[in-house]
Amino acid sequence: MNQPTDQPMDHAHLAGVGEGTRAAHAGVPPRAPYEPPFPGPVFTSHYHLPGDPAGAPYTYGRDGNPTWTRLEEALAELESPGAPAHAVAFASGMGALSAVALSLLRPGEAVVVPADAYNLVGGVLREQLADYGIEVRAAPTAGDAQLALLDGARLLWLETPSNPGLDVCDIRRLAAAAHERGALVAVDNTLATPLGQRPLELGADLAMASGTKALTGHADLLLGYAAARDEAIAARLRLWRKTTGAVPGPMEAWLAHRSLATLELRTARQAANALAVARALRERPEVSGLRHPGLAQDPAYAVAAGQMSRFGCVVSFTLPGREFAERFLAALRLVDDATSFGGVRSSAERRGRWGGDAVPEGFIRLSVGVEDAADLVADLLRALDTAG
C-alpha cells in the first residue's frame, strides 16, 4: 500500500490553488494504480523492524503512524502553504497546548499569557506552570496589553480571537515586539482555523489549535496539533508527545483528515451565518455586550480585518440574568445546549455555568453551524420572545 514516510510529500501541484482545493487535497498521497485515493487508518502498535532501526520511517506505535503522517502533512500545508512547516498531532487540544508550554519553558523562565484565555489555559495550565517554577504574567487580549509584559520573557502566548470573549490582538505587532526581546510566539488559532488566520505568516513561531472544534467540525472526535516552521521546535514537540503518551488514535487522525476536505465549505458557511445572526441579535433589546469580530461595529473589527480572512463561527452576548438565559436555551429548537464550538450543527451555552470565565451569569457563547441562516435567526428570535 502507498505508505507515507517521514519526508514531506511533494505538494507542488497545490501551489497557487484556492483554499477549497488546498483543503480537499492537502496530505492526500500521490495517485497509485489500484490503491484507494484516500487510504484508511493504520491500526498497529508495532511494525516489522528488521536490523538497525536508525532511519526507519516507523518503529513503534507511540513514535509514529502513517495515518498521523498524512494528517500532519495536511495541517502543515494549511498552516503554511507558502513555506515548509512541520505539524505535530496530539490526542486533544490541551495535549497540544500543554506540549508547547511544557516542552519550551524551563524553571526560572517567564511566559506572557492572555488573562482572558480559554479557562483551562487561564486556570489549570497557568497554575501548573507556576508549580514548575515558571513565572506566569497575564494581561488581556484587547489593546495588545501583553506588550507591556514582554521584557525578559521566553514565550509569548496569544489567543486571538479569545474564547469566549472574542477580543482580538495584533499578531504581527506582538510577534515583532516579542522577537526583538528574544521571545518565542505561540498563537492559539482554534477559533479562526488556518483558513481564517495563519499565525505563521503573521510572524508567530507556532500555531496551535484544538482540532476537536471547527477544524474537524462534526463534534465526533478529540484532537489537537501544533505547527512550526522550525524543525527543532517540532522535534521537541514530538519528543514530548512520545514521552507523555499524548498520541492521537489512528481513527481520530483519519476522521480529522477526512473532515478537512469540507473545511472551506463549512467555515465559509458558518462565518456567513454567524454574521447574519450577529446582525439580527443587534436589534434585540434583551441582548447586550454582543461580540463578533466580523461586525463592523465590533471593537475588534479593525484589527481582525487586518489579519483574518474570515471571522469564525462564534457569537457571544449577554442576556438579562441566569434565569432568562436558561429559559432562552431551553426554548431553542435548532440550537443544542452544549459546550464546545465549531460543529456543523449550532450549539450554545450559558458559559458562566462552568465558573472558570469572568463573564456575567447571562453570558451566552453561541456556535453557529451550517443550517440556513434564516432558520437560525428565526429560532433565536423566537427563543428570545419565549424567554421574555
Side-chain angles (χ1 to χ4, degrees):
M1 179 172 284
N2 196 344
Q3 293 281 325
T5 71
D6 58 352
Q7 299 300 314
M9 286 186 280
D10 181 6
H11 287 153
H13 64 293
L14 296 183
V17 302
E19 298 284 25
T21 303
R22 187 183 310 282
H25 288 268
V28 176
R31 299 171 187 168
Y34 318 115
E35 294 288 346
F38 188 69
V42 175
F43 296 103
T44 187
S45 61
H46 64 274
Y47 304 87
H48 291 298
L49 191 63
D52 186 352
Y58 301 103
T59 57
Y60 187 67
R62 193 175 60 248
D63 298 323
N65 182 292
T67 311
W68 303 355
T69 303
R70 295 187 187 99
L71 172 63
E72 290 171 342
E73 290 284 352
L75 294 170
E77 178 67 28
L78 293 178
E79 288 285 359
S80 183
H86 313 273
V88 183
F90 291 85
S92 69
M94 281 306 298
L97 272 59
S98 297
V100 169
L102 297 171
S103 71
L104 297 180
L105 293 166
R106 297 291 180 268
E109 294 180 334
V111 57
V112 180
V113 303
D116 50 346
Y118 170 56
N119 60 19
L120 284 184
V121 173
V124 176
L125 187 57
R126 283 171 59 184
E127 293 174 7
Q128 189 71 64
L129 293 176
D131 288 345
Y132 289 162
I134 296 164
E135 180 187 353
V136 181
R137 308 170 184 170
T141 296
D144 299 341
Q146 291 168 272
L147 274 174
L149 304 180
L150 284 176
D151 287 347
R154 163 65 175 160
L155 177 65
L156 171 62
W157 183 294
L158 306 176
E159 181 181 288
T160 182
S162 61
N163 172 30
L166 302 182
D167 276 317
V168 171
C169 62
D170 187 330
I171 297 174
R172 291 186 188 89
R173 181 187 182 202
L174 286 159
H179 290 155
E180 286 175 2
R181 293 162 173 81
L184 294 170
V185 180
V187 178
D188 185 338
N189 201 39
T190 299
L191 197 146
T193 83
L195 295 194
Q197 179 173 267
R198 291 199 174 104
L200 300 182
E201 293 183 350
L202 296 169
D205 300 288
L206 291 120
M208 49 196 182
S210 168
T212 305
K213 300 180 173 66
L215 187 87
T216 56
H218 292 82
D220 56 6
L221 61 89
L222 295 177
L223 193 95
Y225 74 93
R229 288 179 174 165
D230 188 333
E231 167 59 29
I233 292 177
R236 291 177 74 165
L237 295 175
R238 291 190 203 102
L239 179 60
W240 182 266
R241 177 179 67 183
K242 173 182 176 178
T243 55
T244 62
V247 297
M251 178 57 82
E252 286 80 0
W254 183 83
L255 286 170
H257 194 180
R258 177 214 59 177
S259 298
L260 296 182
T262 60
L263 178 62
E264 197 280 334
L265 298 170
R266 289 186 284 104
T267 56
R269 176 68 170 246
Q270 288 173 294
N273 281 357
L275 188 56
V277 163
R279 287 171 172 162
L281 291 174
R282 283 187 66 232
E283 306 304 317
R284 295 295 298 219
E286 313 95 319
V287 172
S288 62
L290 178 71
R291 297 299 304 271
H292 178 65
L295 276 175
Q297 300 82 3
D298 192 276
Y301 176 77
V303 176
Q307 64 191 25
M308 299 181 73
S309 56
R310 59 190 62 170
F311 299 103
C313 64
V314 178
V315 177
S316 67
F317 54 95
T318 300
L319 296 176
R322 174 174 179 167
E323 291 75 17
F324 190 108
E326 291 182 348
R327 291 195 301 271
F328 165 75
L329 293 169
L332 292 167
R333 295 172 181 166
L334 297 178
V335 182
D336 295 335
D337 188 347
T339 194
S340 197
F341 59 86
V344 291
R345 287 175 290 277
S346 296
S347 63
E349 72 170 334
R350 191 181 66 80
R351 191 64 187 164
R353 64 182 175 175
W354 299 103
D357 298 303
V359 296
E361 285 292 325
F363 182 95
I364 300 293
R365 184 181 69 182
L366 170 64
S367 173
V368 182
V370 301
E371 301 93 344
D372 288 319
D375 294 332
L376 286 174
V377 169
D379 192 36
L380 291 163
L381 299 185
R382 183 195 53 76
L384 286 173
D385 291 338
T386 301

